[in-house]
Amino acid sequence: MEADRIKWNQRFASEDTYLGERPSPFLLREIERIQRVAPGKRALDIACGEGRNSVFLAQHGFMVTGLDISDVGLAKACRRAEKAGVEVEFQQVDLDEYCFTEQFDLIINFNFLLRELIPQEMQALAPGGVLIIDTIMASAELLASHNPTYLLRKGELRKICEELDGEILFVEEKTDEEMPTARVLFRKAG
Ligand SMILES: C[S@@+](CC[C@H](N)C(=O)[O-])C[C@H]1O[C@@H](n2cnc3c(N)ncnc32)[C@H](O)[C@@H]1O
């Protein structure tokens, strides 16, 4: 949606990184298990933003495609990959209207929630492929200022994954933090 592109371009406009220089702590913590479990090296970073997680995966041997709507974020992501000396294929797409055409061994989905995309992500995963979702949960404070459509409800992520064909390797909800989050590491059936 054009409004998303404009909003995120404004957020990414500063020289600084919006979500920091380091990859997501969950990805950092789980990278060895991900490398062990993923059946191959093709990775997809959904709503990759400024590319912190795409670049990290590329540095760990994955062939990464990063998708996002923000051309400003993607330009920063390209510079980050170049600086790190890795190759990542970044594509500007609107995920509200996107159809996957390739297969991936790993799909990551950090700080972005589009529930309708999850079945498509499952289809785009190779047998035995790994799906990671890590995003914000609803709380009374956040609901006052955020659209509930983009926030996970309590227990929702586990429930979604329990209905998919595969195995939950790890799931947690952190509700005691200022920004409550839920995350899952899921492996599609082989
Ligand atoms: C909170 S940022 C997360 C960035 C990245 N996943 C990370 O954790 O560093 C949310 C991202 O979603 C992207 N986004 C929002 N709506 C989108 C859409 N319709 N299609 C593609 N990307 C979208 C934004 O441009 C932004 O980069």
Side-chain angles (χ1 to χ4, degrees):
M1 211 194 295
E2 181 61 4
D4 291 325
R5 189 184 73 81
I6 293 168
K7 178 176 81 181
W8 282 98
N9 274 353
Q10 285 166 352
R11 289 183 179 168
F12 290 144
S14 133
E15 275 301 301
D16 296 334
T17 46
Y18 184 74
L19 283 166
E21 292 298 323
R22 292 172 61 73
S24 142
F26 185 52
L27 196 58
L28 197 60
R29 192 182 87 196
E30 292 290 342
I31 188 64
E32 283 175 20
R33 173 161 39 175
I34 295 164
Q35 286 175 311
R36 209 173 47 246
V37 169
K41 293 291 178 194
R42 298 162 301 175
L44 180 66
D45 186 358
I46 297 284
C48 63
E50 298 159 302
R52 62 187 181 132
N53 296 324
S54 298
V55 168
F56 178 74
L57 288 177
Q59 287 171 321
H60 286 79
F62 286 92
M63 295 177 301
V64 187
T65 301
L67 306 178
D68 202 281
I69 200 166
S70 166
D71 42 307
V72 173
L74 290 170
K76 286 168 94 177
C78 284
R79 288 199 292 278
R80 189 192 285 234
E82 207 175 292
K83 200 167 154 200
V86 293
E87 274 190 34
V88 176
E89 189 191 335
F90 290 111
Q91 292 176 20
Q92 186 180 17
V93 305
D94 183 351
L95 288 162
D96 281 323
E97 297 171 1
Y98 190 69
C99 288
F100 296 95
T101 53
E102 290 172 58
Q103 289 263 289
F104 296 92
D105 304 297
L106 169 67
I107 298 182
I108 65 168
N109 196 139
F110 281 85
N111 300 305
F112 179 78
L113 181 62
L114 187 57
R115 290 173 179 82
E116 308 84 89
L117 207 60
I118 296 174
Q120 278 201 62
E121 291 176 357
M122 276 297 285
Q123 276 186 4
L125 265 187
V130 174
L131 173 66
I132 299 175
I133 300 175
D134 180 337
T135 194
I136 304 168
M137 290 180 69
S139 66
E141 290 77 17
L142 284 179
L143 284 170
S145 57
H146 285 62
N147 183 341
T149 310
Y150 302 125
L151 301 172
L152 283 167
R153 294 179 289 272
K154 195 164 171 35
E156 185 184 2
L157 192 55
R158 176 190 286 274
K159 189 163 180 297
I160 290 172
C161 290
E162 280 173 354
E163 287 167 10
L164 301 176
D165 185 17
E167 178 190 2
I168 294 174
L169 302 179
F170 178 85
V171 65
E172 74 173 355
E173 290 184 344
K174 289 255 182 206
T175 51
D176 51 349
E177 295 172 357
E178 192 185 331
M179 188 72 96
T181 50
R183 53 195 57 85
V184 71
L185 184 61
F186 177 87
R187 180 165 51 185
K188 182 173 168 172

